[in-house]
Amino acid sequence: KNRMDQLASRQSVGLLRSSTLMPMLRCSIAFGLAAVLLGAPLGVSTQSVTPDPADLMAKLNAIQAQFERFQEAADRELQDVRKQNMEEQAGMRAEIKELRDLEARRLDSGLDAAIADLQSATDHTWLLLCGALVMFMQAGFAMVESGSCRCKNVQNVLLKNLVDVCVG
């Protein structure tokens, strides 16, 4: 039973807060802010305060001037930020272009070196192939010459062809 009373009291306090106190609190805050903005004292007065229209216009003009100053300052700051952003972007673009050029030069130099190596290897292979063909041609000439002479002279012809290959 005691527990039930506690729960009932909590629920009634919650209902009281949500239904009665919160709107009253909100209204008192709103009236307090309105009084501060209009220049009335915070204490409860018995006299009705009528704001002077000239004072209200002066305050309104001051607030508008302050707002315009803030807006101009914000615009200047935005322009400065945009200018810095554009300078940073230009710097980054220049750096990217420089890196691309450097990479292209590196690839070109690497490509040139690879082409030079390939050309050198091709030249050496061609020389070896041509040398082998010349040796086979010398052997063919030796066979042709030995076939067109008498048997006793074949040894001399082959010896002359061997000396020709060695000296050449």
Side-chain angles (χ1 to χ4, degrees), residues 25-90:
L25 185 60
R26 287 183 185 155
C27 286
S28 64
I29 290 173
F31 283 125
L33 285 175
V36 168
L37 289 176
L38 294 176
L42 287 177
V44 177
S45 65
T46 56
Q47 298 176 343
S48 72
V49 177
T50 57
D52 187 22
D55 288 341
L56 289 177
M57 284 304 288
K59 286 181 182 181
L60 181 62
N61 289 337
I63 291 173
Q64 283 179 342
Q66 187 178 12
F67 176 73
E68 288 173 0
R69 284 193 304 271
F70 285 145
Q71 191 173 14
E72 289 172 1
D75 288 341
R76 282 193 302 270
E77 186 177 342
L78 180 63
Q79 288 174 355
D80 290 342
V81 167
R82 284 182 180 167
K83 184 179 177 183
Q84 288 175 351
N85 190 13
M86 290 176 67
E87 289 172 357
E88 288 176 4
Q89 284 181 356

Side-chain angles (χ1 to χ4, degrees), residues 71-147:
Q71 191 173 14
E72 289 172 1
D75 288 341
R76 282 193 302 270
E77 186 177 342
L78 180 63
Q79 288 174 355
D80 290 342
V81 167
R82 284 182 180 167
K83 184 179 177 183
Q84 288 175 351
N85 190 13
M86 290 176 67
E87 289 172 357
E88 288 176 4
Q89 284 181 356
M92 286 182 192
R93 285 186 184 125
E95 189 175 337
I96 288 171
K97 184 180 183 298
E98 190 175 307
L99 288 173
R100 284 182 181 164
D101 292 344
L102 180 66
E103 182 70 17
R105 277 184 271 148
R106 193 189 72 161
L107 288 176
D108 287 344
S109 66
L111 187 61
D112 290 343
I115 289 173
D117 288 344
L118 183 62
Q119 188 175 13
S120 176
T122 305
D123 288 344
H124 286 62
T125 305
W126 181 251
L127 284 174
L128 286 173
L129 178 67
C130 289
L133 288 176
V134 167
M135 292 301 155
F136 283 115
M137 284 172 36
Q138 286 292 338
F141 288 140
M143 295 299 134
V144 167
E145 284 184 41
S146 30

